[in-house]
Amino acid sequence: VQHDAAPPPEQPVVGSPGPMFFNTPELAAAWRCETILVQRPNAAGQDTLYTAAAIQQNQNVVALIQLAVPTANLQNMLMQRWLILLMGFAAMTSLVVLAVLALSRSIIRPLYQLRESALLLSRGDFSSRVSWERQDEIGEVASAFNEMASQVQKMLEEQRAFASNTAHELRTPLTALRLRTEALLYDGTLDATTSRQYVEEIDHEIANLGNLVQDLTLLSRFDAGRAELGDNQIDCNRLALSLSEQFATPAREKHIHLSVCPCPQPTTINASLNHLTVVFRNLLDNALKYTPEGGAISWRIETTPNGTLHTIQDNGQGILRQDLPMVFERFYRADKAHSRDIPGTGLGLALVRTIVEAYGGLIKISSEGAGQGTAVTVLWPQSPSSTL
């Protein structure tokens, strides 16, 4: 509807619209440059929303635009929007549920594997492992479980081997003792010389059994953490000279030159005299047993910033390169073919390493091979006041 008349002075436009104009409130409001929304039935009887706007030029209303929208269309559009919103909400909820299920499955699955592996371990199957490669907390738990299972399996295997070797080491001298005692008891043809020899052999085997029991007892105390570490001030030079005197007689019998090179200044360390004696007596005994007649054994003592260094060197039969990593294992014998010809229990080096490491020290054995001799170095830590 266009109007060309000028508006009265107090209104933005002039002129007077026709009677139909005032029957449409939205147009009348638009004529006054206002905007309203009116709801009424249209010509078809449908409930409709009406609004209108004025087009101005130089502050004169030159045209009016009327917009009519049936409310049914709006309701359909609103229903569509609600339907889309509900569908989106349902899809989002489904995605969240699926994500929660996947996450819970990823957490529960390794826990079930851990449970099954734990049950297998409780039944004695120590080869069971959890195959899980995730780099998260669950993966760390699985890795820790596998490490624990490996350690338990290794410990049990060591215990079985230890029990088997102990039984073997005990069975051999007991068999010899039984044979000798039966001969002495029931063989009336034995002369005095043979009987005396049998008695000496029985005494020797009993001494070996006593040493074995003593070593096993000391090892078990250290393994169980019940061994009391000593804190006595012990002079290393005096200990070395004392032990070398004890081994002087068997060394002379084999024509072996045993020498001690003490530290220039008196050096003491904190330890138990009994533990130190066990360590260096075993090392000297090994050097003496595996050094042939006419050989040489030296014991050198020196101080370092990290402690007192003891080096026991011999020019004996040496150790093969492949045997070096295993010399500290319990009951291990590098020369298995002649293991029974060389006295000993096979626990000496294992006991030595256990004692040295319990005091925070280090022990190392090196050899260039068969016939090249052996060098044993023991670094024993010392307190700040242990050097006089």
Side-chain angles (χ1 to χ4, degrees), residues 111-186:
L111 293 180
Y112 273 119
Q113 291 185 3
L114 284 171
R115 176 177 175 274
E116 293 298 326
S117 297
L119 290 175
L120 291 175
L121 284 177
S122 66
R123 296 167 187 162
D125 183 6
F126 297 98
S127 62
S128 177
R129 299 292 184 273
V130 180
S131 57
W132 200 256
E133 302 297 334
R134 285 176 39 168
Q135 302 298 323
D136 57 6
E137 290 80 2
I138 300 295
E140 292 179 0
V141 172
S143 177
F145 179 87
N146 290 338
E147 180 66 22
M148 179 197 69
S150 298
Q151 293 295 331
V152 171
Q153 183 179 15
K154 181 180 178 182
M155 180 184 66
L156 288 177
E157 290 175 353
E158 290 179 351
Q159 287 183 350
R160 293 191 185 102
F162 183 74
S164 175
N165 291 329
T166 303
H168 175 74
E169 292 294 331
L170 290 172
R171 187 183 302 114
T172 302
L174 288 175
T175 302
L177 286 174
R178 184 177 182 82
L179 292 175
R180 298 298 182 269
T181 54
E182 286 180 350
L184 290 173
L185 289 173
Y186 305 113

Side-chain angles (χ1 to χ4, degrees), residues 172-187 190 194-203 205:
T172 302
L174 288 175
T175 302
L177 286 174
R178 184 177 182 82
L179 292 175
R180 298 298 182 269
T181 54
E182 286 180 350
L184 290 173
L185 289 173
Y186 305 113
D187 191 351
L190 294 179
T194 305
S195 298
R196 181 176 180 80
Q197 179 185 348
Y198 282 1
V199 171
E200 292 176 354
E201 292 176 357
I202 290 174
D203 182 70
E205 293 295 344

Side-chain angles (χ1 to χ4, degrees), residues 98-114 132 134 136-139 142:
L98 291 175
V100 170
L101 290 176
L103 180 61
S104 62
R105 178 182 174 84
S106 66
I107 295 175
I108 294 174
R109 182 182 174 188
L111 293 180
Y112 273 119
Q113 291 185 3
L114 284 171
W132 200 256
R134 285 176 39 168
D136 57 6
E137 290 80 2
I138 300 295

Side-chain angles (χ1 to χ4, degrees), residues 269-334:
I269 58 179
N270 296 331
S272 164
L273 178 59
N274 179 49
H275 294 162
L276 276 179
T277 302
V278 170
V279 169
F280 293 108
R281 179 177 290 166
N282 273 286
L283 294 179
L284 285 177
D285 185 56
N286 278 348
L288 194 63
K289 286 188 295 188
Y290 292 100
T291 300
E293 292 189 5
I297 301 173
S298 64
W299 183 352
R300 186 174 68 255
I301 305 173
E302 54 189 331
T303 59
T304 69
N306 297 323
T308 305
L309 184 65
H310 301 258
T311 304
I312 298 179
Q313 174 81 49
D314 65 66
N315 60 354
Q317 68 183 44
I319 304 173
L320 295 178
R321 201 173 292 270
Q322 63 267 22
D323 291 326
L324 279 174
M326 296 174 287
V327 292
F328 289 110
E329 294 183 6
R330 299 173 184 184
F331 297 110
Y332 182 80
R333 297 289 188 93

Side-chain angles (χ1 to χ4, degrees), residues 347-361:
L347 289 175
L349 289 178
L351 182 58
V352 166
R353 184 178 66 172
T354 300
I355 295 175
V356 172
E357 292 181 351
Y359 280 90

